[in-house]
Amino acid sequence: MSALLVRTRRDTYVDSVQLMAATRTMLDQPGVGWAAAVMGTPANVATLADEGCGADQLAGVGANDLALAVRAATEREATAALDAGIGALTEAAPAAARPEERAPLTLEEALASPGGANVALVSVPGAFATLEAHKALSAGLHVLVFSDNVPLADEVELKTRAERLGLLVMGPGAGTGVLGGVGLGFANALRRGPVGVVAAAGTGAQEVTTLVDRWGSGVSQVIGVGGRDLHEEVGARMTRLAVRTLEADPATEVLVLVSKPPARATARALLADLGRKPTVAALVGLDDPPPAARGVQLVETLEEAAAAAVRMLGAPAPRLGEGLAERVGRAAAGLDPARVAVRGLFSGGTLCYEAMVLLSRQLGPVHSNVPLRPEWATPAPDGAHVCLDLGEEEFTRGRPHPMIDPEARVDHIRRESDDPSTAVILLDVVLGYGSHPDPASVLAPVCADATDRSGGPEVVVYVLGTDGDPQGLAAQRRQFEDAGCVLAPTGARAALMSAALSRRQPAVAEVLQ
């Protein structure tokens, strides 16, 4: 038996970051199997109902109401977890201001405040994001729309209007941005420098910028345009405007464009229009790319994009392959011959997609919830290679994103460890502001349980971050090394090392380069 309790507060708005923190706090309490802190939108209420919350528990809950729900082993544990969730919300709430310093409640009040801001960050339920973004455009502000679930037609309308006004609409679903040295959404601690990034891929931008930082350069701006900007319907409107903006920025010497495969017509027009400054374009997974303008270097991976940008600035190319073959060889020696499958469990959508591209070239079809080919979306047969983006909506309904709540991957790791066909469990761990304060403390113990088994599997881990990130890159890597994991220097190398382990060929050519 278990207890499922719901607690609501009428007319209480809480932003998504605070909701995620409260959910994480409740999940950390003894006896809790599931928990969620959400605003009472119709979609969220439906999710709570799917989890077993009764109509009486959800009666009258509306979009402006706060709802916390917990399933625990006992009613006492569920009540204690709800109390902890409310406590976390109280602790995370902004400090009460003096009457003369009261925080603005609307965009109009914020605009009347001193400070001269020229960017509005919209983080409200998707149904309301379009209106708030239009208000910001009317006020002459650039807009970063953190919200997702915004209809595509609304995005086209917003960006068409913004293009006419000469203003940027970053997003919807723009999870990462760095403007004027200030990180927005999920962002890393980056040194300032001459590399500017335009990205239709959040963790793609984080991978490129953290590698640039680690390899001795720095970042001027990161403009995230949202994952659909390069779709045919949107036509790269904001990508083009962002590129023009960075080309005019004296602090930006080299541009990097990052995206999953765009529409071919969009890619052709965009690549022909680049090159006013030295530019690297990483259109991950785009087969047979169209010709690019002079001064534009096309690359296939995020690692190559960062390395090319650093080389354009005159720095030596990083040496990444040293010792990898030996590391893979030692790990492969202990694998049971029946273990051949790679199972990727990702928190970063772009890192997942890049891994699928690289693994499929080495191993053949890789099944996923974000497939490279339509037929790879079908249920994977026993022993198949699989990469899951656990940040997709099907996995985050009613619980935080796995970058915030690494506990979401623990059960997946255990299941893959128990599968006798699994050779490699491939993980990304994304550090930075907004991410879990110590993801290794949650993931490393279950990884250790996997690696302690005779005959495998092996766990390959890539930790994305910088030395300045609050979690500490070196400390996070050390926890995974102590757990017996195989550490990779980049996301691309993690995929190639996993392929080499699967094939028992540590000398896969790409790994040695």
Side-chain angles (χ1 to χ4, degrees), residues 74-436:
T74 67
E75 185 170 339
R76 176 178 293 181
E77 288 172 328
T79 299
L82 288 172
D83 291 341
I86 293 294
L89 290 175
T90 302
E91 183 177 337
R98 295 192 299 270
E100 66 272 17
E101 296 176 348
R102 183 178 63 84
L105 299 178
T106 65
L107 177 64
E108 292 76 12
E109 287 185 11
L111 288 169
S113 304
N118 63 353
V119 178
L121 194 156
V122 175
S123 179
V124 298
F128 309 104
T130 301
L131 176 59
E132 296 304 318
H134 273 299
K135 289 180 182 178
L137 290 176
S138 295
L141 301 175
H142 303 288
V143 191
L144 189 147
V145 184
F146 189 81
S147 311
D148 55 11
N149 296 313
V150 175
L152 180 59
D154 287 1
E155 179 174 348
V156 173
E157 180 185 1
L158 272 170
K159 291 184 172 179
T160 300
R161 184 184 178 208
E163 184 179 36
R164 187 170 64 249
L165 294 171
L167 295 170
L168 287 165
V169 169
M170 297 163 274
T176 300
V178 180
L179 304 176
V182 177
L184 303 173
F186 294 106
N188 298 92
L190 303 168
R191 71 183 86 189
R192 300 296 296 275
V195 178
V197 177
V198 178
T203 47
Q206 289 184 270
E207 170 77 325
V208 170
T209 54
T210 54
L211 292 178
V212 165
D213 180 279
R214 277 192 255 162
W215 295 340
S217 189
V219 175
S220 58
Q221 318 281 350
V222 179
I223 302 177
V225 295
R228 298 185 301 201
D229 194 72
L230 273 70
H231 286 194
E232 187 173 358
E233 297 88 340
V234 187
R237 283 183 166 87
M238 290 298 105
T239 300
R240 290 196 303 269
L241 183 55
V243 167
R244 296 287 92 81
T245 299
L246 293 186
E247 287 174 341
D249 176 21
T252 300
E253 299 175 24
V254 171
L255 269 66
V256 180
L257 175 64
V258 179
S259 175
K260 296 174 189 175
R264 292 202 64 81
T266 303
R268 187 179 303 109
L270 184 61
L271 290 174
D273 195 36
L274 297 173
R276 293 169 181 82
K277 284 185 176 180
T279 301
V280 183
L283 308 180
V284 179
L286 180 64
D287 295 325
D288 190 25
R294 188 174 182 178
V296 178
Q297 181 178 346
L298 282 172
V299 298
E300 294 187 336
T301 67
L302 302 169
E303 170 194 306
E304 291 175 302
V310 170
R311 283 196 299 268
M312 286 179 175
L313 293 165
R319 297 176 62 84
L320 298 174
E322 295 179 354
L324 294 189
E326 292 81 1
R327 207 177 308 167
V328 169
R330 288 193 299 270
L335 279 173
D336 187 298
R339 291 187 176 272
V340 293
V342 175
R343 302 288 163 76
L345 303 172
F346 287 87
S347 62
T350 313
L351 298 178
C352 179
Y353 198 85
E354 179 185 55
M356 290 173 59
V357 171
L358 296 172
L359 288 170
S360 67
R361 292 173 183 170
Q362 296 289 333
L363 304 176
V366 179
H367 295 262
S368 180
N369 58 329
V370 282
L372 286 172
R373 307 282 184 269
E375 62 271 21
W376 296 356
T378 57
D382 291 343
H385 306 295
V386 178
C387 283
L388 296 178
D389 175 9
L390 297 177
E392 283 288 300
E393 185 176 339
E394 65 200 88
F395 293 109
T396 57
R397 290 182 63 195
R399 71 179 309 158
H401 192 281
M403 285 163 58
I404 297 169
D405 175 24
E407 187 74 33
R409 286 196 277 184
V410 168
D411 287 343
H412 289 276
I413 295 171
R414 289 188 177 124
R415 277 199 300 272
E416 298 304 344
S417 299
D418 291 339
D419 187 334
S421 70
T422 302
V424 182
I425 298 171
L426 172 57
L427 302 176
D428 66 335
V429 180
V430 181
L431 309 183
Y433 303 108
S435 294
H436 189 278

Side-chain angles (χ1 to χ4, degrees), residues 437-465:
D438 187 8
S441 68
V442 178
L443 295 174
V446 71
C447 291
D449 291 342
T451 59
D452 281 346
R453 301 179 185 215
S454 176
E458 292 295 330
V459 180
V460 175
V461 176
Y462 170 56
V463 184
L464 184 162

